[in-house]
């Protein structure tokens, strides 16, 4: 049956069928070829895809991010970052990268972070004569890096699918995220000097203090979320609830930028994004059941073990698979379908599952900015009104530097694992 499954899935994706529907059609086609009593299990498997309690964190973190974005806290984060790096060459570009990573510490959604920071920072980049294509490439690259910043949604899903501690994954993602962020900041600085982009206006001490005061509470939210998780005060799911309450109180009652008439749109946007994620999780669960019933994961694991006789070859094969799939489809289906196959093989070869999860998340981040299906690239191009084909050339150096960073993270596991070990995960 495997070739029927592959053909149906590929044809559906080539016809631009949404990923969730493509997986559902493929699973249904395969189940029609199975014994009749198997077909009745399809609804059960669909619901099983999002029955896990930790997945409640996804809509809650999305809601927290929406509250912060609509409440104007994204602008305060950008303004605060300008205080520290605004007077460096390419300072506004560095602000975009730093702000997107900080925003990811609140919402966990790379596309939402890209939209929130882009809508605030891109007009300023135009005023400071940043080439539109370069500004768009920089913004999308920052969105790709944010897949490693806790509480990234992809890290939550990887933890649930592979049965890895989500708190441990959050800790493991911090150093690689900083490593990637510094790498693309260095590239942004180099091109800013090369293009002789202007520096930001000088700020008086009084103005700096005012801006820092305004940005203190949004950054404190990141500290509360991560400090609470790593300090054992609450779980990742409970942290999401805290983030929602904190974001609402600060936006509505401290800054008073969140109005009652904003809430319907915020809740609707949250439901729309969460619905997409849960639909893909449910249909991917059905698809995974079909693969498992036909023992396809077992066959693939044996095939991988045949050719990947060393950890290095195995990781190279994993990266190639995810890089190729990331160019043509969303991140969730490969994670959900392939991770249950790859993690046991990786453990057999002596690879820490936490390290493997972070490598896959970093790889997924690259896929999010890679044409033709990179979601962060689409969002950045949409906000700035620049066609994707014009962004490809300035985006290539960012892609290459992120691939180089991925290689370093792969070859030096200590970058990923030293913090989780320090925290006892």
């Amino acid at each position: 049956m495997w070739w029927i499954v592959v053909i149906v899935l590929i044809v559906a994706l080539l016809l631009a069928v949404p990923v969730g529907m493509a997986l559902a059609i493929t699973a249904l086609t395969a189940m029609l070829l199975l014994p009749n009593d198997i077909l009745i299990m399809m609804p059960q498997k669909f619901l099983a895809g999002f029955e896990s309690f930790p997945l409640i964190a996804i809509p809650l973190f999305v809601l927290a991010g929406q509250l912060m974005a609509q409440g104007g806290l994204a602008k305060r984060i950008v303004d605060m970052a300008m205080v520290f790096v605004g007077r460096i060459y390419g300072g506004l570009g560095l602000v975009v990268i730093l702000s997107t990573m900080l925003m990811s510490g609140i919402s966990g959604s790379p596309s939402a972070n890209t939209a929130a920071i882009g809508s605030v920072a891109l007009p300023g980049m135009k005023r400071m004569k940043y080439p539109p294509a370069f500004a768009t490439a920089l913004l999308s690259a920052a969105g790709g890096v944010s897949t490693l910043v806790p509480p990234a949604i992809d890290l939550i899903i990887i933890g649930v699918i592979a049965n890895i501690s989500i708190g441990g994954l959050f800790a493991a993602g911090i150093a690689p995220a900083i490593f990637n962020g510094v790498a693309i900041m260095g590239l942004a600085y180099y091109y800013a000097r090369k293009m002789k982009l202007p520096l930001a206006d000088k700020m008086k001490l009084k103005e700096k203090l005012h801006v820092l005061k305004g940005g203190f509470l949004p950054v404190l939210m990141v500290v509360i979320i991560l400090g609470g998780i790593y300090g054992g005060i609450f779980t990742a799911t409970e942290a999401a609830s805290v983030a929602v309450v904190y974001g609402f109180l600060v936006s509505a009652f401290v800054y008073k930028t969140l109005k009652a008439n904003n809430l319907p749109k915020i809740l609707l946007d949250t439901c729309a994004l969460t619905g997409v994620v849960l639909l893909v999780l449910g249909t991917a669960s059905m698809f995974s059941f079909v693969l498992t019933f036909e023992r396809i994961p077992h066959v693939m694991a044996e095939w991988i073990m045949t050719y990947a006789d060393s950890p290095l070859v195995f990781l190279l094969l994993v990266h190639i698979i995810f890089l190729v799939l990331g160019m043509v489809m969303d991140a969730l289906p490969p994670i959900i379908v392939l991770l249950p196959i790859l993690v046991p093989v990786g453990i057999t070869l002596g690879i820490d599952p936490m390290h493997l999860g972070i490598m896959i998340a970093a790889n997924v981040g690259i896929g999010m900015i890679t044409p033709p299906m990179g979601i962060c690239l689409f969002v950045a191009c949409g906000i700035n009104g620049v066609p994707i084909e014009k962004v490809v050339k300035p985006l290539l150096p960012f892609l290459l530097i992120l691939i180089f960073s991925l290689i370093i993270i792969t070859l030096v596991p200590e970058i990923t694992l030293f913090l989780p070990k320090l925290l006892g995960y």
Side-chain angles (χ1 to χ4, degrees):
M1 184 192 292
W2 68 269
W3 60 272
I4 297 176
V5 171
V6 171
I7 290 173
V8 172
L9 182 60
I10 291 175
V11 170
L13 292 174
L14 290 176
L15 292 174
V17 176
V19 174
M21 291 295 100
L23 288 171
I25 292 168
T26 305
L28 179 59
T29 303
M31 286 183 174
L32 289 174
L33 301 175
L34 295 174
N36 292 335
D37 55 344
I38 299 295
L39 189 60
I40 198 172
M41 298 179 66
M42 186 168 67
Q44 300 172 10
K45 296 302 174 184
F46 177 81
L47 294 174
F50 42 85
E51 276 184 343
S52 177
F53 178 74
L55 290 177
I56 297 174
I58 294 176
L60 291 174
F61 276 126
V62 172
L63 177 56
Q66 291 287 340
L67 289 168
M68 299 286 276
Q70 294 291 331
L73 274 69
K75 183 179 186 306
R76 295 175 187 272
I77 290 175
V78 171
D79 291 342
M80 189 180 69
M82 282 293 289
V83 172
F84 295 102
V85 294
R87 293 291 295 169
I88 301 173
Y89 274 105
L92 189 52
L94 305 185
V95 165
V96 168
I97 297 167
L98 185 60
S99 301
T100 306
M101 294 177 69
L102 284 172
M103 192 67 187
S104 185
I106 297 169
S107 77
S109 170
S111 57
N113 303 332
T114 304
I117 299 301
S119 60
V120 173
L122 284 175
M125 297 178 86
K126 288 180 181 178
R127 287 194 302 271
M128 295 188 71
K129 299 180 181 179
Y130 277 70
F134 174 75
T136 306
L138 191 149
L139 174 63
S140 61
V145 169
S146 67
T147 56
L148 288 171
V149 180
I153 290 173
D154 288 332
L155 293 181
I156 296 173
I157 294 172
I158 288 171
V160 171
I161 297 297
N163 197 25
I164 305 171
S165 165
I166 293 175
L169 279 173
F170 284 179
I174 292 176
I178 294 172
F179 186 78
N180 280 356
V182 170
I184 63 170
M185 281 182 181
L187 191 63
Y189 173 79
Y190 167 78
Y191 277 105
R193 288 200 68 117
K194 187 177 179 181
M195 293 185 284
K196 298 181 179 179
L197 295 174
L199 300 177
D201 295 332
K202 286 185 177 180
M203 297 176 67
K204 296 180 180 178
L205 179 61
K206 186 177 180 180
E207 293 175 315
K208 290 182 179 180
L209 292 175
H210 178 72
V211 170
L212 290 174
K213 181 181 177 182
F216 174 74
L217 290 178
V219 174
L220 181 62
M221 182 177 182
V222 180
V223 175
I224 291 172
I225 292 171
L226 299 183
I229 294 172
Y230 302 142
I233 300 171
F234 38 68
T235 65
T237 307
E238 292 164 347
S241 304
V242 172
V244 170
V245 175
Y246 184 94
F248 176 75
L249 293 176
V250 170
S251 299
F253 299 107
V254 179
Y255 295 132
K256 298 181 181 179
T257 49
L258 182 67
K259 307 300 180 184
N261 57 2
N262 298 137
L263 292 178
K265 184 180 185 303
I266 290 173
L267 294 173
L268 186 62
D269 290 345
T270 301
C271 291
L273 182 55
T274 304
V276 171
V277 174
L278 294 183
L279 176 64
V280 174
L281 283 171
T283 53
S285 175
M286 294 160 46
F287 184 70
S288 298
F289 169 73
V290 171
L291 296 181
T292 304
F293 189 85
E294 288 295 303
R295 301 185 78 250
I296 294 174
H298 180 74
V299 173
M300 288 184 67
E302 288 185 341
W303 180 82
I304 291 172
M305 287 294 290
T306 301
Y307 294 97
D309 52 355
S310 72
L312 192 59
V313 176
F314 169 75
L315 292 175
L316 178 63
L317 186 61
V318 169
H319 285 322
I320 291 172
I321 290 172
F322 274 91
L323 280 173
V324 172
L325 292 177
M327 293 180 187
V328 296
M329 64 192 304
D330 188 64
L332 282 182
I335 288 175
I336 294 168
V337 173
L338 294 177
L339 213 58
I341 302 169
L342 298 174
V343 169
V345 177
I347 292 173
T348 303
L349 292 170
I351 299 170
D352 190 293
M354 210 173 289
H355 183 214
L356 181 60
I358 293 300
M359 286 187 288
I360 289 174
N363 200 314
V364 163
I366 296 173
M368 286 188 170
I369 66 172
T370 307
M373 294 291 288
I375 186 169
C376 289
L377 179 59
F378 270 108
V379 170
C381 289
I383 294 173
N384 214 17
V386 180
I388 288 180
E389 55 269 21
K390 291 187 178 180
V391 182
V392 171
K393 185 176 178 180
L395 182 64
L396 281 176
F398 290 100
L399 278 172
L400 291 175
I401 201 76
L402 287 177
I403 291 172
F404 177 75
S405 296
L406 177 62
I407 293 171
I408 299 299
I409 293 168
T410 300
L411 296 178
V412 187
E414 289 77 14
I415 296 175
T416 300
L417 298 176
F418 87 93
L419 191 54
K421 289 178 180 177
L422 187 66
L423 295 173
Y425 287 102

